[in-house]
């Protein structure tokens, strides 16, 4: 569906927060059997951030949300809807969205968490936009927020080198035609749910001494299979979303992909015939921050002057589930 004509909901503000503590590849050399050279050449990542012991997922979210409110010049009480995407909430319940709502004084917001792993912020953006279209909600905030440093096994070099902590927020406002979603493409494939998972801690394997001993509360991933899926699905889905907007890949001014691996991004750029200058890349600084990755990259792209009025900006993500999603925005 091309939604361009009916659209009057636009992005009114963005903001992100990353914890101060920096963990470089050289620091990782002292923890696991790896090298800066291996990590840089295989992933593009040079350093990532880790939250302080006092920080929980909602703390990162609140700091990103505060910046987005300032950017949009909006009073917290104006927010009608808050969706938080995260793989590691403060608690199983209440939702991290409710906790963040209280921290930010967003008294009038309806709040819930959304689980779609690295695709979470894009899913949230589209869910928020759709809910706004079918309700009297005028202003919504979505936040992707992650603390990976507590769910990776620091003895597993396959995963601990990849991820970083951070949060990014986006505010949507009704009555704004510019910076609006003009098309989308989303999908899920539960038959590959085992490719990235945290096996224990839920109803399938509640926490026991054994689940802790067996390290089943940490992320497990079949990296190579996820890599192949990401390369293929991102290209396919970007093309589908563009087609729905009656655009072609030549119309893309900036592609903002989920910051997982530079090799994935380069392969996607090649397949889409996009020069690297048209791809937002900041994974060297933050690693893979999952649901936070796209809101952080979007905010940085804006502040670095990479987006101008009228540009076609495409957001593209993939992640556990498996899930994927693409959103085309006319800026
Ligand atoms: O947000 C979604 C989350 N997931 C992803 O984005 C993951 C997508 N996948 C990837 O990014 C890549 O598959 C990885 C970066 C995870 C791995 O890169 P790869 O080129 O697929 O490497 P590999 O797993 O095939 O491993 C190649 C070699 C292996 O050694 P052998 O078997 O060839 O002797 C690994 O044991 O590299 C070894 N290796 C490492 N060596 C040094 C794996 N991790 C490391 C490491 N340092 N950190």
């Amino acid at each position: 569906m091309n939604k361009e004509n009916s659209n009057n909901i636009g992005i009114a503000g963005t903001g992100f927060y990353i914890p101060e503590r920096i963990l470089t590849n050289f620091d990782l050399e002292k923890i696991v059997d790896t090298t800066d050279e291996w990590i840089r050449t295989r992933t593009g990542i040079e350093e990532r951030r880790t939250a302080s012991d006092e920080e929980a997922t909602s703390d990162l979210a609140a700091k990103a949300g505060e910046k987005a409110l300032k950017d949009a010049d909006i009073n917290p009480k104006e927010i009608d809807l808050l969706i938080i995407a995260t793989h590691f909430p403060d608690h199983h319940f209440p939702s991290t969205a409710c906790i963040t709502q209280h921290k930010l004084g967003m008294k009038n917001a309806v709040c819930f968490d959304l689980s779609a792993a690295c695709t979470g912020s894009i899913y949230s953006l589209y869910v928020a936009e759709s809910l706004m279209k079918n309700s009297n909600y005028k202003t919504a905030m979505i936040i992707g927020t992650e603390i990976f440093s507590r769910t990776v096994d620091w003895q597993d070099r396959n995963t601990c080198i990849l991820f970083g902590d951070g949060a990014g927020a986006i505010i949507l406002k009704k009555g704004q035609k510019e910076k609006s979603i003009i098309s989308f493409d989303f999908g899920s494939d539960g038959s590959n749910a085992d490719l990235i998972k945290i096996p224990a801690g839920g109803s399938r394997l509640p926490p026991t001494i054994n689940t802790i001993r067996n390290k089943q509360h940490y992320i497990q991933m079949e990296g190579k299979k996820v890599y192949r899926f990401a390369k293929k699905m991102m290209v396919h889905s970007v093309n589908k979303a563009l087609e729905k907007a009656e655009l072609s890949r030549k119309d893309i001014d900036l592609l903002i992909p989920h910051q997982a691996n530079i090799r994935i991004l380069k392969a996607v750029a090649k397949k889409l015939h996009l020069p690297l200058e048209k791809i937002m890349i900041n994974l060297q600084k933050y690693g893979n921050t999952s649901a936070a990755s796209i809101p952080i990259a979007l905010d940085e792209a804006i502040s670095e002057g990479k987006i101008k009025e009228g540009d076609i900006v495409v957001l593209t993500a993939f992640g556990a589930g498996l899930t994927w999603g693409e959103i085309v925005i006319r800026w």
Side-chain angles (χ1 to χ4, degrees):
M1 180 182 59
N2 182 343
K3 303 165 71 251
E4 194 158 19
N5 297 332
S6 61
N7 206 321
N8 66 341
I9 293 167
I11 293 175
T14 53
F16 79 92
Y17 169 76
I18 34 139
E20 277 171 30
R21 193 160 58 188
I22 297 173
L23 185 71
T24 66
N25 293 347
F26 297 104
D27 296 327
L28 281 166
E29 286 182 355
K30 296 177 200 137
I31 301 172
V32 282
D33 180 15
T34 193
T35 59
D36 168 62
E37 210 251 330
W38 192 96
I39 302 171
R40 258 187 307 106
T41 51
R42 298 284 181 127
T43 71
I45 300 164
E46 291 167 20
E47 58 186 45
R48 69 289 291 143
R49 303 296 178 107
T50 59
S52 71
D53 296 346
E54 293 73 39
E55 282 175 316
T57 304
S58 65
D59 297 316
L60 273 56
K63 285 178 180 155
E66 206 175 327
K67 289 188 181 169
L69 285 168
K70 209 168 162 201
D71 185 45
D73 195 18
I74 280 176
N75 185 302
K77 294 193 186 92
E78 283 179 57
I79 301 287
D80 302 306
L81 173 69
L82 171 66
I83 307 178
I84 286 205
T86 184
H87 89 289
F88 196 47
D90 286 22
H91 313 280
H92 275 309
F93 67 84
S95 72
T96 298
C98 282
I99 296 167
T100 307
Q101 171 203 29
H102 181 59
K103 287 193 168 133
L104 288 174
M106 303 194 299
K107 286 180 175 212
N108 299 312
V110 171
C111 306
F112 60 92
D113 289 358
L114 184 150
S115 170
C118 307
T119 322
S121 54
I122 307 223
Y123 268 44
S124 302
L125 204 54
Y126 184 61
V127 168
E129 199 241 20
S130 306
L131 278 174
M132 288 170 84
K133 285 207 157 136
N134 293 299
S135 70
N136 56 359
Y137 301 151
K138 290 192 179 73
T139 314
M141 180 187 284
I142 72 102
I143 307 177
T145 177
E146 302 285 16
I147 297 192
F148 266 98
S149 52
R150 288 176 205 153
T151 54
V152 291
D153 174 359
W154 288 104
Q155 292 178 332
D156 176 13
R157 68 178 184 174
N158 291 298
T159 50
C160 75
I161 55 124
L162 294 172
F163 298 100
D165 301 342
I170 300 173
I171 292 176
L172 290 175
K173 208 171 172 190
K174 223 176 223 172
Q176 183 186 310
K177 217 161 181 216
E178 65 277 13
K179 303 178 192 173
S180 62
I181 296 175
I182 56 172
S183 77
F184 62 90
D185 185 62
F186 288 103
S188 312
D189 170 18
S191 71
N192 278 311
D194 280 342
L195 293 189
I196 322 177
K197 67 176 179 188
I198 297 180
S203 60
R204 177 65 59 200
L205 269 181
T208 63
I209 297 288
N210 279 338
T211 60
I212 293 170
R213 270 201 200 113
N214 296 337
K215 298 185 163 198
Q216 288 171 299
H217 294 272
Y218 294 129
I219 287 168
Q220 296 178 357
M221 181 177 72
E222 293 196 41
K224 261 211 174 341
K225 287 187 182 162
V226 177
Y227 184 95
R228 273 188 232 119
F229 154 78
K231 265 192 350 186
K232 199 173 119 200
M233 193 45 83
M234 271 172 145
V235 174
H236 176 72
S237 195
V238 165
N239 279 327
K240 261 176 89 173
L242 286 169
E243 207 178 290
K244 289 177 193 173
E246 290 162 24
L247 295 169
S248 85
R249 58 191 184 213
K250 291 194 189 105
D251 296 306
I252 299 177
D253 293 296
L254 188 68
L255 184 77
I256 304 186
H258 168 44
Q259 305 287 310
N261 185 321
I262 190 70
R263 286 156 55 216
I264 298 177
L265 305 196
K266 283 184 174 166
V268 169
K270 197 171 166 198
K271 286 256 179 214
L272 291 171
H273 301 282
L274 285 178
L276 271 187
E277 306 83 76
K278 287 196 173 188
I279 318 272
M280 179 63 195
I281 299 169
N282 65 2
L283 57 79
Q284 68 281 5
K285 294 187 285 184
Y286 311 128
N288 178 346
T289 57
S290 189
S293 146
I294 286 189
I296 292 176
L298 176 64
D299 190 54
E300 265 201 352
I302 297 166
S303 54
E304 286 171 9
K306 291 198 159 118
I307 312 178
K308 54 184 190 321
E309 205 182 321
D311 274 358
I312 295 295
V313 178
V314 179
L315 314 180
T316 170
F318 66 93
L322 295 171
T323 54
W324 62 92
E326 275 64 31
I327 284 180
V328 180
I329 297 169
R330 191 185 300 282
W331 209 256

